[in-house]
Amino acid sequence: VCSSDLLADALLRCKDLDIVGHVHDEAINELAAGATPQLAARMSKAPPWAQGLKLKAHGFESDRYRK
């Protein structure tokens, strides 16, 4: 399993959450305040072809992009 495949799958599952970009292993979204846990929960689910793989996504809210 390649990490870029996991990110691509997660981006497709989160396409209704206003994704504006991605860098390496992170998605950049424009969300309402407090929506980060919903995004992290979706990104933490393994795709059907990688069942059993343990994933955990983290997020933060900011007024501008930061690393």
Side-chain angles (χ1 to χ4, degrees):
V1 174
C2 179
S3 61
S4 62
D5 293 335
L6 293 168
L7 178 61
D9 183 80
L11 292 174
L12 289 173
R13 281 185 279 114
C14 297
K15 63 183 174 185
D16 63 317
L17 294 177
D18 298 322
I19 297 169
V20 296
H22 59 88
V23 178
H24 301 292
D25 61 347
E26 62 187 43
I28 305 166
N29 304 70
E30 290 184 350
L31 300 172
T36 301
Q38 178 187 11
L39 175 64
R42 283 197 201 179
M43 293 190 76
S44 294
K45 292 182 182 174
W49 45 266
Q51 288 301 315
L53 182 64
K54 294 180 181 182
L55 298 174
K56 186 171 184 180
H58 301 276
F60 61 88
E61 296 180 18
S62 178
D63 291 332
R64 59 179 176 76
Y65 175 76
R66 65 182 173 107
K67 196 68 174 149

